[in-house]
Amino acid sequence: MKKNQEHGLLVKEVSQLTGLSPQVIRKWEERYGLICPKRHMNGYRLYTCEDVATLMKICRLRDQGHSMKEALHLFRSHQTPEPVPKMPVSEDVLALLEKGSMYDEAGLLLLLKQALHRHGLEKFLSTTIQPLMREIGDLWASGKWDESQETITSLAIRDFLVQIRRNFDLVEEAPLMLGCCLPHEMHEIPLHIVLLQAMMHGWQTIAAGPSPKLSSIEDLVQRLEPQKLILSATTATPFTHNPHLFEQLEDIAERNPSTQFFIGGNGIFDHKIYFSPKKIQIAYTLEDVFNENRG
């Protein structure tokens, strides 16, 4: 092992040392920039002892009950955290997770329908769907779920929310809100939750698919002329792919002054310090969107 450490550790060795799967290690590397392994001439990633220590610190923070976002913040700010008690998971969420772990789409659909009818839409979103998505994210990030379990379960939830939106009755003169994920943003569910909440406030909504091109976003704004546009950044991936993305979005907003542009999601938190918003408003809550009206 000493000889290997001098030249670098392979992902399989790091996996054995940390207890994380190779898939999770690579995802943490790509999504959060925690470590930056060198490449051997044959293309293999080579990790250092410092990389292993970093991963172990994040694992310890998560074992103490911190979310991934909290763990990253504490690690980067060198704080000594207090263990955070985890909120209890409802019976609805536990039952849905069990079906998802077994790839039981029919069972997922039945439980989602039952929870919706039992709670009503507003409570269903806040006490079932949002906690469920957090649990799925934690299971995937910790390696307890593989990518297929996360993907199949998330797709079933997304399709269920889309179906609710399609069957939502609104008056014809309802104002229009357009929702778009950012380019390279594949997580649609948070956007559908926001749009459903907007519909409960009387808005007609349209959602673009995952990872649209910037040109497609502008084309939709010009064709539909929505009163408000919600840009969703669930992860920081769009900004990693394109460091000039926010400036380009500002240019689009400048060319389309009749639409109010908003951007929100966890992906903006690490990047907002670089923003100098002129036309786009940062929305931390949905109330920021609803309460912002043109003077």
Side-chain angles (χ1 to χ4, degrees):
M1 181 62 71
K2 288 183 178 178
K3 183 178 180 181
N4 286 345
Q5 289 178 355
E6 291 174 0
H7 297 88
L9 300 169
L10 298 174
V11 68
K12 182 178 179 181
E13 296 171 305
V14 177
S15 176
Q16 293 171 343
L17 291 168
T18 62
L20 298 170
S21 70
Q23 183 184 47
V24 169
I25 292 169
R26 286 192 290 268
K27 280 293 182 182
W28 284 12
E29 170 194 335
E30 295 167 2
R31 180 172 295 181
Y32 305 117
L34 279 171
I35 53 180
C36 188
K38 296 180 180 180
R39 292 276 187 170
H40 191 271
M41 62 180 66
N42 60 13
Y44 287 122
R45 290 175 168 85
L46 294 177
Y47 299 82
T48 66
C49 294
E50 290 76 15
D51 292 333
V52 174
T54 294
L55 294 172
M56 293 294 288
K57 288 176 183 176
I58 296 297
C59 288
R60 282 196 295 272
L61 289 168
R62 290 184 56 76
D63 288 343
Q64 292 172 359
H66 295 279
S67 68
M68 192 65 185
K69 178 184 171 184
E70 291 168 339
L72 290 169
H73 173 72
L74 291 166
F75 172 77
R76 289 166 177 163
S77 60
H78 306 288
Q79 296 179 17
T80 303
E82 295 288 335
V84 175
K86 191 171 183 179
M87 294 296 291
V89 180
S90 71
E91 292 297 324
D92 286 339
V93 172
L94 288 173
L96 287 161
L97 290 172
E98 182 180 1
K99 296 297 183 183
S101 68
M102 297 185 296
Y103 313 99
D104 186 352
E105 291 182 276
L108 277 168
L109 180 60
L110 177 60
L111 290 177
L112 288 169
K113 287 180 178 178
Q114 291 173 343
L116 174 60
H117 293 155
R118 185 163 54 250
H119 299 304
L121 181 55
E122 185 172 6
K123 190 174 179 182
F124 170 70
L125 294 174
S126 63
T127 65
T128 300
I129 296 299
Q130 290 175 323
L132 175 61
M133 295 312 301
R134 285 194 293 269
E135 289 295 320
I136 292 171
D138 286 347
L139 287 168
W140 181 88
S142 66
K144 294 178 181 177
W145 269 26
D146 61 33
E147 188 170 352
S148 61
Q149 289 168 307
E150 188 271 341
T151 299
I152 289 173
T153 305
S154 296
L155 285 175
I157 296 167
R158 183 206 65 182
D159 291 346
F160 187 76
L161 297 179
V162 170
Q163 193 63 33
I164 296 174
R165 287 187 50 248
R166 287 175 177 165
N167 293 322
F168 203 106
D169 292 326
L170 288 165
V171 296
E172 292 184 5
E173 61 270 20
L176 176 61
M177 181 182 295
L178 173 63
C180 294
C181 292
L182 292 180
H184 300 288
E185 179 56 75
M186 304 302 295
H187 294 75
E188 296 179 76
I189 292 175
L191 178 62
H192 288 296
I193 293 173
V194 168
L195 294 181
L196 276 168
Q197 291 170 329
M199 296 178 84
M200 287 188 284
H201 284 75
W203 288 81
Q204 176 188 357
T205 67
I206 294 178
S211 188
K213 295 180 180 179
L214 282 175
S215 58
S216 298
I217 293 175
E218 183 165 18
D219 185 57
L220 282 170
V221 170
Q222 292 176 347
R223 289 174 179 270
L224 299 173
E225 298 182 342
Q227 185 173 337
K228 298 178 188 285
L229 167 67
I230 302 291
L231 297 165
S232 177
T234 302
T235 68
T237 302
F239 304 101
T240 303
H241 278 271
N242 181 3
H244 303 291
L245 177 60
F246 191 74
E247 290 83 356
Q248 293 168 352
L249 290 167
E250 282 275 6
D251 291 340
I252 294 175
E254 179 76 29
R255 292 192 293 268
N256 298 275
S258 62
T259 295
Q260 287 182 284
F261 281 61
F262 297 86
I263 188 168
N266 290 334
I268 67 170
F269 293 149
D270 290 337
H271 294 266
K272 64 177 182 175
I273 59 174
Y274 301 110
F275 293 168
S276 299
K278 297 176 182 176
K279 298 295 181 181
I280 299 178
Q281 300 171 64
I282 297 177
Y284 297 96
T285 67
L286 198 58
E287 284 68 30
D288 294 336
V289 178
F290 292 148
N291 295 334
E292 181 62 34
N293 296 306
R294 294 191 183 279

Coordinates of all heavy atoms in Angstrom, one line a residue, residues 74-117:
L74 N -19.7 22.8 5.8 CA -18.9 22.7 7.0 C -17.5 22.3 6.7 O -16.5 22.8 7.3 CB -19.6 21.7 7.9 CG -20.9 22.1 8.6 CD1 -21.6 20.9 9.2 CD2 -20.7 23.1 9.6
F75 N -17.3 21.4 5.7 CA -16.0 21.0 5.4 C -15.2 22.2 4.8 O -14.0 22.4 5.2 CB -16.1 19.9 4.3 CG -14.7 19.5 3.7 CD1 -13.8 18.7 4.4 CD2 -14.4 19.9 2.5 CE1 -12.6 18.4 3.9 CE2 -13.2 19.6 1.9 CZ -12.3 18.8 2.6
R76 N -15.8 23.0 3.9 CA -15.1 24.1 3.3 C -14.9 25.3 4.2 O -13.9 26.0 4.0 CB -15.9 24.5 2.0 CG -15.9 23.5 0.9 CD -16.9 23.8 -0.2 NE -16.7 22.8 -1.3 CZ -17.7 22.6 -2.2 NH1 -18.8 23.2 -2.1 NH2 -17.5 21.7 -3.1
S77 N -15.7 25.4 5.2 CA -15.5 26.5 6.2 C -14.8 26.1 7.4 O -14.6 26.9 8.3 CB -16.9 27.1 6.6 OG -17.7 26.1 7.2
H78 N -14.3 24.8 7.5 CA -13.5 24.3 8.6 C -14.2 24.5 9.9 O -13.5 24.7 10.9 CB -12.1 25.0 8.6 CG -11.4 24.9 7.3 ND1 -10.9 23.7 6.8 CD2 -11.1 25.8 6.4 CE1 -10.3 23.9 5.7 NE2 -10.4 25.2 5.4
Q79 N -15.5 24.3 9.9 CA -16.2 24.5 11.2 C -16.3 23.1 11.9 O -16.2 22.0 11.3 CB -17.7 24.9 11.0 CG -17.8 26.3 10.4 CD -19.2 26.7 10.2 OE1 -20.1 26.1 10.7 NE2 -19.5 27.7 9.4
T80 N -16.4 23.1 13.2 CA -16.6 21.9 14.0 C -18.1 21.8 14.3 O -18.6 22.5 15.1 CB -15.8 22.0 15.3 OG1 -14.4 22.2 15.0 CG2 -16.0 20.7 16.1
P81 N -18.8 20.9 13.6 CA -20.2 20.9 13.7 C -20.7 20.1 14.9 O -20.1 19.2 15.5 CB -20.6 20.2 12.4 CG -19.5 19.2 12.2 CD -18.2 19.9 12.7
E82 N -21.9 20.4 15.3 CA -22.7 19.7 16.2 C -23.6 18.7 15.5 O -24.1 19.0 14.4 CB -23.6 20.6 17.1 CG -22.9 21.5 18.0 CD -22.3 20.8 19.1 OE1 -22.8 19.7 19.5 OE2 -21.3 21.4 19.7
P83 N -23.7 17.4 15.9 CA -24.6 16.5 15.2 C -26.0 17.0 15.1 O -26.5 17.7 16.0 CB -24.6 15.3 16.2 CG -23.3 15.4 17.0 CD -23.1 16.9 17.1
V84 N -26.5 16.9 13.9 CA -27.9 17.4 13.6 C -28.9 16.2 13.6 O -28.7 15.2 12.9 CB -27.9 18.0 12.2 CG1 -29.3 18.5 11.8 CG2 -27.0 19.2 12.1
P85 N -29.9 16.3 14.5 CA -30.8 15.2 14.5 C -31.6 15.2 13.2 O -32.1 16.2 12.7 CB -31.8 15.6 15.7 CG -31.6 17.1 15.9 CD -30.2 17.4 15.4
K86 N -31.8 14.0 12.6 CA -32.5 13.9 11.4 C -34.0 13.8 11.6 O -34.5 13.2 12.6 CB -32.0 12.6 10.7 CG -32.5 12.6 9.2 CD -31.9 11.4 8.5 CE -32.3 11.4 7.0 NZ -31.7 10.3 6.3
M87 N -34.7 14.6 10.8 CA -36.2 14.6 10.9 C -36.7 13.2 10.6 O -36.3 12.5 9.7 CB -36.8 15.6 10.0 CG -36.4 17.0 10.3 SD -37.1 17.6 11.9 CE -38.9 17.6 11.5
P88 N -37.7 12.7 11.4 CA -38.3 11.4 11.1 C -39.0 11.4 9.8 O -39.5 12.3 9.3 CB -39.3 11.2 12.3 CG -39.6 12.6 12.7 CD -38.4 13.4 12.6
V89 N -38.9 10.2 9.1 CA -39.4 10.0 7.8 C -40.8 9.4 8.0 O -41.1 8.5 8.8 CB -38.6 9.1 7.0 CG1 -39.2 8.9 5.6 CG2 -37.2 9.6 6.8
S90 N -41.8 10.0 7.2 CA -43.2 9.5 7.4 C -43.4 8.1 6.8 O -42.5 7.6 6.1 CB -44.1 10.5 6.6 OG -43.9 10.3 5.2
E91 N -44.5 7.5 7.2 CA -44.8 6.2 6.7 C -45.0 6.2 5.2 O -44.6 5.2 4.5 CB -46.1 5.7 7.4 CG -45.9 5.4 8.9 CD -44.9 4.3 9.2 OE1 -44.8 3.3 8.4 OE2 -44.1 4.4 10.2
D92 N -45.6 7.3 4.7 CA -45.7 7.4 3.2 C -44.4 7.3 2.5 O -44.2 6.6 1.5 CB -46.4 8.7 2.9 CG -47.9 8.7 3.2 OD1 -48.5 7.6 3.3 OD2 -48.5 9.8 3.3
V93 N -43.4 8.1 3.0 CA -42.1 8.1 2.4 C -41.4 6.8 2.5 O -40.8 6.3 1.5 CB -41.3 9.2 3.0 CG1 -39.8 9.2 2.5 CG2 -41.9 10.6 2.7
L94 N -41.5 6.2 3.7 CA -40.8 4.8 3.9 C -41.4 3.8 2.9 O -40.7 3.0 2.3 CB -41.0 4.4 5.3 CG -40.2 5.1 6.4 CD1 -40.6 4.7 7.8 CD2 -38.7 4.9 6.2
A95 N -42.7 3.8 2.8 CA -43.4 2.8 1.9 C -43.0 3.1 0.4 O -42.7 2.1 -0.3 CB -44.9 2.9 2.0
L96 N -42.9 4.4 0.0 CA -42.5 4.7 -1.4 C -41.0 4.3 -1.6 O -40.7 3.8 -2.7 CB -42.7 6.2 -1.6 CG -44.1 6.6 -1.8 CD1 -44.3 8.1 -1.6 CD2 -44.6 6.3 -3.2
L97 N -40.2 4.5 -0.6 CA -38.8 4.1 -0.8 C -38.6 2.6 -0.9 O -37.8 2.1 -1.7 CB -38.0 4.6 0.4 CG -37.7 6.1 0.5 CD1 -37.1 6.5 1.9 CD2 -36.9 6.6 -0.6
E98 N -39.5 1.9 -0.2 CA -39.4 0.4 -0.3 C -39.8 0.0 -1.7 O -39.1 -0.9 -2.3 CB -40.4 -0.2 0.7 CG -40.3 -1.8 0.7 CD -41.3 -2.4 1.7 OE1 -41.9 -1.6 2.4 OE2 -41.3 -3.6 1.8
K99 N -40.8 0.6 -2.3 CA -41.2 0.2 -3.6 C -40.2 0.6 -4.6 O -39.8 -0.1 -5.6 CB -42.6 0.9 -4.0 CG -43.8 0.5 -3.2 CD -44.1 -1.0 -3.4 CE -45.3 -1.4 -2.6 NZ -45.6 -2.8 -2.7
G100 N -39.6 1.8 -4.4 CA -38.5 2.2 -5.3 C -37.3 1.3 -5.3 O -36.7 1.1 -6.3
S101 N -36.9 0.9 -4.1 CA -35.8 0.0 -4.0 C -35.9 -1.3 -4.8 O -35.0 -2.0 -5.2 CB -35.5 -0.3 -2.5 OG -36.5 -1.1 -2.0
M102 N -37.2 -1.7 -5.0 CA -37.5 -3.0 -5.7 C -37.9 -2.7 -7.1 O -38.4 -3.6 -7.8 CB -38.6 -3.7 -4.9 CG -38.3 -4.1 -3.5 SD -39.5 -5.1 -2.7 CE -40.9 -4.0 -2.6
Y103 N -37.8 -1.5 -7.6 CA -38.1 -1.1 -9.0 C -39.6 -1.4 -9.3 O -40.0 -1.7 -10.4 CB -37.3 -2.0 -10.0 CG -35.8 -2.0 -9.7 CD1 -35.2 -3.1 -9.1 CD2 -35.0 -0.9 -10.1 CE1 -33.9 -3.1 -8.8 CE2 -33.6 -0.9 -9.8 CZ -33.1 -2.0 -9.2 OH -31.8 -2.1 -8.9
D104 N -40.5 -1.2 -8.3 CA -41.9 -1.5 -8.4 C -42.6 -0.2 -8.8 O -43.2 0.5 -8.0 CB -42.4 -2.0 -7.1 CG -43.9 -2.5 -7.1 OD1 -44.5 -2.3 -8.2 OD2 -44.4 -3.0 -6.1
E105 N -42.7 0.0 -10.1 CA -43.3 1.2 -10.6 C -44.8 1.3 -10.4 O -45.4 2.3 -10.0 CB -43.1 1.4 -12.1 CG -41.6 1.7 -12.5 CD -41.4 1.8 -14.0 OE1 -41.3 0.8 -14.7 OE2 -41.4 3.0 -14.5
A106 N -45.5 0.1 -10.5 CA -46.9 0.1 -10.3 C -47.2 0.3 -8.8 O -48.1 1.1 -8.5 CB -47.5 -1.3 -10.7
G107 N -46.4 -0.2 -7.9 CA -46.6 0.0 -6.5 C -46.3 1.5 -6.1 O -47.0 2.1 -5.3
L108 N -45.3 2.1 -6.8 CA -45.0 3.5 -6.6 C -46.2 4.4 -7.0 O -46.6 5.3 -6.2 CB -43.8 3.9 -7.4 CG -42.4 3.7 -6.8 CD1 -41.4 3.9 -7.9 CD2 -42.2 4.6 -5.6
L109 N -46.8 4.1 -8.1 CA -47.9 4.9 -8.6 C -49.1 4.8 -7.7 O -49.7 5.8 -7.4 CB -48.3 4.4 -10.0 CG -49.4 5.1 -10.7 CD1 -49.1 6.6 -10.9 CD2 -49.7 4.4 -12.1
L110 N -49.4 3.6 -7.2 CA -50.5 3.4 -6.3 C -50.3 4.1 -5.0 O -51.3 4.8 -4.6 CB -50.7 1.9 -6.0 CG -51.8 1.5 -5.0 CD1 -53.2 2.0 -5.6 CD2 -51.9 0.0 -4.8
L111 N -49.1 4.1 -4.5 CA -48.9 4.8 -3.2 C -48.9 6.3 -3.4 O -49.4 7.0 -2.5 CB -47.5 4.4 -2.6 CG -47.5 2.9 -2.1 CD1 -46.0 2.6 -1.6 CD2 -48.4 2.7 -0.9
L112 N -48.4 6.8 -4.5 CA -48.5 8.2 -4.8 C -49.9 8.7 -4.9 O -50.3 9.7 -4.4 CB -47.7 8.5 -6.1 CG -46.2 8.4 -6.0 CD1 -45.6 8.5 -7.4 CD2 -45.6 9.5 -5.1
K113 N -50.8 7.9 -5.6 CA -52.2 8.3 -5.7 C -52.8 8.3 -4.4 O -53.6 9.2 -4.1 CB -52.9 7.3 -6.6 CG -52.6 7.4 -8.1 CD -53.3 6.3 -8.9 CE -53.0 6.5 -10.4 NZ -53.7 5.4 -11.2
Q114 N -52.6 7.3 -3.5 CA -53.2 7.2 -2.2 C -52.7 8.4 -1.3 O -53.6 9.0 -0.6 CB -52.8 5.9 -1.6 CG -53.5 4.7 -2.2 CD -53.0 3.4 -1.6 OE1 -51.9 3.3 -1.0 NE2 -53.7 2.3 -1.9
A115 N -51.5 8.8 -1.4 CA -51.0 9.9 -0.6 C -51.6 11.2 -1.1 O -51.9 12.1 -0.2 CB -49.4 9.9 -0.7
L116 N -51.7 11.4 -2.4 CA -52.3 12.6 -2.9 C -53.8 12.7 -2.5 O -54.2 13.8 -2.0 CB -52.2 12.6 -4.4 CG -52.9 13.7 -5.2 CD1 -52.4 15.1 -4.7 CD2 -52.9 13.5 -6.7
H117 N -54.5 11.7 -2.5 CA -55.9 11.7 -2.2 C -56.1 11.9 -0.6 O -57.0 12.5 -0.2 CB -56.6 10.4 -2.6 CG -56.7 10.3 -4.1 ND1 -56.9 9.0 -4.7 CD2 -56.7 11.2 -5.1 CE1 -56.9 9.2 -6.0 NE2 -56.8 10.5 -6.2

